[in-house]
């Protein structure tokens, strides 16, 4: 079984996230999503998700391309995740290009083009201005 893993917050789930997950899943036949916990978001990524970890987990688990959701609690857990789950391919959007090349000794590393013109930040901003 070829396993794929990807990481993210997936807040205000939108079609850009779905596009990424669909393409990531095509690199194998089992997709793991390491979902940023609320503590990781606030302490390490300095952003506060609108939906809680549990709410985001239930959303991501409902996506047909996703087979398993695990918590992302530390930047440094990727290598142990890849070894623990025997992952073949690591996939991220290309806003991360180059950042995870150190994983290339352990698995395939793929950066996929982001879906343009959609982001959770933009959704928030537009909702704010449409009072
Ligand atoms: N994404 C995308 N197109 C968009 C928005 C997001 O392809 N319009 C991708 C991102 O590139 C990422 C994934 O969807 O691969 C999840 O996006 P975020 O939740 O914003 O992920 P991020 O905050 O970058 O977290 O350790 C890695 C981090 O957890 C990545």
């Amino acid at each position: 079984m070829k396993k794929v893993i990807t990481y993210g917050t997936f807040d205000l789930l939108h079609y850009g996230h779905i596009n990424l997950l669909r393409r990531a899943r095509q690199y194998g036949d089992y997709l793991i999503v390491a979902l940023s916990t609320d503590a990781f978001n606030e302490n390490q990524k300095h952003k506060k998700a609108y939906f809680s970890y549990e709410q985001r987990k239930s959303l991501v688990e409902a996506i047909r391309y996703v087979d398993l959701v695990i918590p992302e609690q530390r930047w440094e857990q990727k290598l142990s995740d890849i070894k623990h789950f025997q992952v073949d391919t690591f996939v991220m959007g290309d806003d991360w290009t180059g950042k995870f090349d150190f994983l290339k000794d352990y698995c395939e590393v793929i950066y996929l083009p982001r879906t343009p013109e959609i982001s959770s930040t933009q959704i928030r901003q537009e909702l704010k201005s449409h009072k």
Side-chain angles (χ1 to χ4, degrees):
M1 177 162 59
K2 270 203 79 180
K3 291 188 185 172
V4 185
I5 197 166
T6 190
Y7 292 72
T9 298
F10 295 96
D11 192 33
L12 302 182
L13 198 61
H14 55 68
Y15 62 89
H17 296 133
I18 303 302
N19 284 344
L20 187 283
L21 295 171
R22 185 186 65 253
R23 287 174 293 160
R25 175 68 174 69
Q26 288 165 353
Y27 281 88
D29 29 44
Y30 189 91
L31 175 61
I32 302 166
V33 175
L35 189 65
S36 309
T37 61
D38 296 330
F40 183 66
N41 276 325
E42 287 155 40
N43 304 330
Q44 300 296 323
K45 294 168 90 172
H46 312 302
K47 61 181 183 181
K48 184 164 175 16
Y50 180 82
F51 289 121
S52 71
Y53 175 79
E54 287 308 320
Q55 289 165 332
R56 289 180 286 116
K57 182 171 187 280
S58 62
L59 284 159
V60 174
E61 281 176 340
I63 299 168
R64 66 172 58 212
Y65 309 118
V66 176
D67 297 284
L68 175 68
V69 178
I70 62 170
E72 178 185 28
Q73 297 166 298
R74 298 181 315 285
W75 292 110
E76 305 78 16
Q77 72 182 72
K78 295 181 174 66
L79 186 47
S80 55
D81 289 345
I82 284 161
K83 289 178 178 172
H84 175 72
F85 291 100
Q86 298 175 309
V87 167
D88 302 280
T89 306
F90 169 92
V91 176
M92 286 302 292
D94 62 4
D95 45 322
W96 292 93
T97 298
K99 298 287 191 305
F100 302 114
D101 288 358
F102 66 93
L103 296 172
K104 284 183 175 172
D105 295 339
Y106 304 93
C107 65
E108 185 184 19
V109 175
I110 302 281
Y111 301 105
L112 295 174
R114 281 172 69 93
T115 303
E117 99 281 327
I118 180 76
S119 73
S120 312
T121 310
Q122 181 180 332
I123 294 170
R124 274 197 191 85
Q125 279 160 0
E126 290 192 11
L127 285 174
K128 240 182 237 163
S129 59
H130 294 175
K131 274 199 178 46

